[in-house]
Every structure is written in C-alpha cells, then in structure tokens.
Amino acid sequence: DGGITQSPKYLFRKEGQNVTLSCEQNLNHDAMYWYRQDPGQGLRLIYYSQIVNDFQKGDIAEGYSVSREKKESFPLTVTSAQKNPTAFYLCASSRLPLGSNGYTFGSGTRLTVV
Amino acid sequence: DQQVKQNSPSLSVQEGRISILNCDYTNSMFDYFLWYKKYPAEGPTFLISISSIKDKNEDGRFTVFLNKSAKHLSLHIVPSQPGDSAVYFCAARATSGTYKYIFGTGTRLKVLA
C-alpha cells in the first residue's frame, strides 16, 4: 500500500534543543511539503520541495530547516531558533503538476516543548 | 493577508439535517478548490474538489458549490451523520505556477445524534 509516513507520532523536546521530524513517501510523488497546524490558524506552509536537492521557503520558514536528498524523504528540523515550536506538524506529497485532488497527507507529528 | 477564509470556526447540526460549510477567497486567479476533512491527531483527507469553470460538483452526500462572482464556495453535506464530525478545510490552488494549495483556517463540524 502506498502512502506517506510520519514519525514519531508524539515528540517531546526540551527548550534549546533541535529535533528532526521524519517524513517518507512511497507514492513516487515529485513534491513534498511541511505544514504546521495551530488552533484557529489552519494549515500554514513551512517548506516545500519540488525536486531532489531543492526546496523553497513557505510562509513560516523561520526556525526550521529541511533537506531533500532522496525523492522519498523530506525531514524537517525544528531548531532552537523557532520561538513557539509546540504544534501539530503535517507532511504532504503530491504529483506535479499539482492536480485537482491536491495533496496526500501523513498522519502528523505532535511536538511539545517541555 | 488571508487569501482563503473560513469565517465560522465551528458549526453544530442535528443528525439527518443539512450541514453547510462556507469559504471565501480573495484571489480571482485560483483555478481549483478542494475540501479536506480532518479528524483529531490525523492528517487531512481529500473530500471533494471543484474547478473554477464549474459551479457545482456532487459526490454522494457531499456537494460543493462555487460562486465565482462572489468569490465564495460552500460544502453541503446531506444528510449529516455523526461520523461527519471533524474539522473541514477549504483550499485553493493559484495558477501562478507555485505548486501549493492555500488553506483556510478550518471549520469544526459537530453532528449531534
């Protein structure tokens, strides 16, 4: 079964630490995305990548970094520079050109800073 | 600047009745609109889409209406079922070549049994 896998489902981080969220897809999709969900703010785009070894900043990229070394993988690092990292993080993928059925989403990672 | 807006954060409907979720947008260049459904602690799942050249698309209990002159779309669920209780996001695709959808803030639907 093809799909998109995020791990871990829950993650706790101490203030000042970097943490990396994993996202893997076996859908052979070209593009991958990271979104953040906060209550009342919908889904906000952090970073996206349309091709291996290339990625673009989204609307709220500050304090985050990504890499795209393989087509299947798009890990997100939440750095200590991110002021308010506690949130629900969603990874998504899509074919290109981006079609009328949008993205396939993973099941998300809940990050909590303690 | 919020280009896609869902002004109702929540909606409660009795089981069997119609649920109407609304979405407004500001960019006339959007060419596709989608609705996603999201349960807590899960990723959104695609529900239904509509092209800007159409004014209605139907899939079972779900119908999406598009009013381009008003820059408004709505999702109708008839009849509503308790399993429909979730957060619904509308999303719009720009035609400028950036490969992304822009999401609204979501509406939490609660269907009362």
Side-chain angles (χ1 to χ4, degrees):
Chain A
D1 262 351
I4 182 164
T5 302
Q6 289 187 242
S7 61
K9 193 163 182 68
Y10 299 96
L11 190 56
F12 295 88
R13 188 194 92 176
K14 291 183 179 178
E15 281 197 42
Q17 285 182 341
N18 292 357
V19 65
T20 297
L21 283 60
S22 170
C23 179
E24 303 275 334
Q25 55 99 359
N26 60 2
L27 298 164
N28 200 30
H29 283 174
D30 300 299
M32 297 186 75
Y33 312 80
W34 274 104
Y35 282 87
R36 168 180 170 144
Q37 185 191 9
D38 296 282
Q41 297 212 52
L43 303 179
R44 293 185 292 166
L45 182 64
I46 304 172
Y47 268 99
Y48 64 105
S49 168
Q50 299 171 16
I51 194 169
V52 173
N53 293 323
D54 189 39
F55 46 83
Q56 288 76 41
K57 291 181 179 180
D59 303 314
I60 55 164
E62 186 176 349
Y64 299 98
S65 65
V66 292
S67 63
R68 187 92 185 274
E69 297 176 2
K70 297 186 301 182
K71 187 176 183 179
E72 301 79 18
S73 178
F74 192 41
L76 173 75
T77 297
V78 184
T79 75
S80 56
Q82 169 48 233
K83 297 280 188 280
N84 187 18
T86 294
F88 189 61
Y89 290 87
L90 286 160
C91 181
S93 67
S94 73
R95 297 189 189 285
L96 290 178
L98 184 57
S100 59
N101 56 357
Y103 307 142
T104 300
F105 282 92
S107 57
T109 293
R110 165 91 43 202
L111 173 64
T112 304
V113 174
V114 296
Chain B
D1 181 28
Q2 191 77 23
Q3 296 188 66
V4 180
K5 300 178 187 179
Q6 294 176 256
N7 292 318
S8 297
S10 63
L11 174 68
S12 291
V13 170
Q14 208 65 35
E15 182 180 6
R17 306 296 289 266
I18 184 171
S19 295
I20 301 176
L21 295 93
N22 294 304
C23 181
D24 297 295
Y25 61 95
T26 57
N27 187 341
S28 58
M29 298 302 290
F30 289 146
D31 67 342
Y32 269 104
F33 302 89
L34 312 181
W35 285 94
Y36 283 88
K37 177 179 179 179
K38 184 184 178 302
Y39 293 117
E42 293 184 13
T45 54
F46 170 79
L47 194 57
I48 192 168
S49 67
I50 188 166
S51 163
S52 61
I53 63 173
K54 296 189 179 292
D55 54 19
K56 178 182 174 181
N57 188 26
E58 196 170 349
D59 184 2
R61 296 186 298 114
F62 303 92
T63 303
V64 56
F65 295 92
L66 177 62
N67 182 334
K68 282 186 69 177
S69 60
K71 295 191 179 70
H72 176 83
L73 67 155
S74 60
L75 174 68
H76 293 212
I77 307 173
V78 183
S80 301
Q81 299 173 353
D84 296 329
S85 297
V87 176
Y88 290 79
F89 291 98
C90 65
R93 188 183 81 168
T95 56
S96 62
T98 55
Y99 294 103
K100 56 179 179 173
Y101 274 85
I102 299 170
F103 286 82
T105 51
T107 296
R108 181 177 302 279
L109 173 65
K110 189 171 183 179
V111 179
L112 307 168

